[in-house]
Amino acid sequence: MNNEHKDAVQDTVTEETIEETLENTPNTGEGGSSEEAVNPEQEIPVTESADEAAGSAELEKLQAELQEQQQRTLRVQADFDNFRRRTQKEKEDLGKYASSKLITELLPVIDNFERALQASEENPEFESFSKGVSMIFRQLESVLATEGLSAMKSVGEPFNPEYHQAIMQVESDEYEEGIVVEEVQKGYMLKDKVLRPAMVKVSM
């Protein structure tokens, strides 16, 4: 083999070797290195430290305690409002029925006045006396009426144990069963409260 042929073969081998070397070399770009490039948008995992976990647990505990205290405060406020309303009602009732004890003690006096008037009507000789007693009785009735006292209407009404005290049952052709046919002693109301139930006879 001559020298020219040997040089041509050597040049061909050299070019092939350079091309293979270039193909196997990683492309790093201009001025780049062979290390893998880092994506700036890639999220870096963050691990919670022990101090942060403890702080989060303490915060949840404090929030739970705060909520419990708020609920307790609301319950106390509701109890106080109920107590205030109840006390106010008791105060109003006390003022409303403050005279009930006095009027209850005066009811027998009214009964006696009515008996005296009834007896005087049966005896004409006591006419002038009857007029005087009647005037006193009407005056007393007027005073008590201003305090809220009123007599019940019982005869002809259905028997009601809240307003009537039955002392006996009687036969009656005029009324149906369970109707008050006679009032033995008047019953009285003090405003909307039963001060004394009426003593009555009830049809059977």
Side-chain angles (χ1 to χ4, degrees):
M1 180 179 296
N2 56 26
N3 291 334
E4 292 179 357
H5 182 70
K6 289 173 66 176
D7 291 339
V9 172
Q10 186 175 2
D11 291 340
T12 301
V13 173
T14 303
E15 289 177 358
E16 291 177 354
T17 303
I18 293 172
E19 289 178 358
E20 290 178 358
T21 303
L22 291 175
E23 288 177 356
N24 294 329
T25 302
N27 185 14
T28 58
E30 295 182 0
S33 65
S34 61
E35 295 180 357
E36 185 178 352
V38 177
N39 185 358
E41 295 182 356
Q42 184 179 359
E43 294 183 359
I44 301 174
V46 178
T47 57
E48 188 177 15
S49 66
D51 292 340
E52 291 176 344
S56 177
E58 183 67 20
L59 178 59
E60 292 179 359
K61 179 181 178 182
L62 291 175
Q63 288 176 340
E65 291 178 356
L66 176 61
Q67 186 175 5
E68 183 180 355
Q69 290 296 332
Q70 288 175 340
Q71 293 294 329
R72 187 176 301 174
T73 302
L74 291 175
R75 287 194 295 268
V76 171
Q77 184 176 359
D79 291 341
F80 175 76
D81 289 341
N82 291 334
F83 171 77
R84 181 175 54 82
R85 285 193 293 266
R86 185 170 60 253
T87 303
Q88 181 66 24
K89 186 178 185 303
E90 290 175 355
K91 183 179 179 181
E92 292 174 356
D93 289 343
L94 180 62
K96 188 176 181 180
Y97 302 110
S99 58
S100 62
K101 185 176 184 298
L102 174 62
I103 295 176
T104 302
E105 293 176 353
L106 288 175
L107 290 181
V109 179
I110 295 176
D111 295 336
N112 290 332
F113 264 115
E114 289 183 330
R115 294 189 187 99
L117 289 172
Q118 186 177 1
S120 63
E121 289 174 358
E122 297 172 357
N123 191 342
E125 297 180 1
F126 294 98
E127 183 178 355
S128 59
F129 172 77
S130 174
K131 289 181 179 179
V133 172
S134 179
M135 289 176 60
I136 297 172
F137 177 67
R138 301 306 171 197
Q139 185 179 13
L140 178 60
E141 271 191 332
S142 176
V143 172
L144 296 176
T146 59
E147 293 295 323
L149 183 71
S150 61
M152 296 181 187
K153 180 182 180 299
S154 299
V155 177
E157 298 292 327
F159 175 76
N160 187 336
E162 293 184 3
Y163 300 100
H164 307 135
Q165 179 182 351
I167 59 174
M168 67 171 57
Q169 286 184 300
V170 296
E171 294 182 357
S172 174
D173 297 332
E174 184 178 359
Y175 297 104
E176 298 177 357
E177 182 180 356
I179 302 298
V180 175
V181 298
E182 184 180 345
E183 188 177 60
V184 179
Q185 185 182 65
K186 278 187 177 181
Y188 286 92
M189 300 283 297
L190 181 58
K191 297 178 182 178
D192 56 354
K193 178 181 178 181
V194 177
L195 191 62
R196 186 180 75 181
M199 295 176 61
V200 297
K201 296 180 182 181
V202 184
S203 60
M204 57 185 296

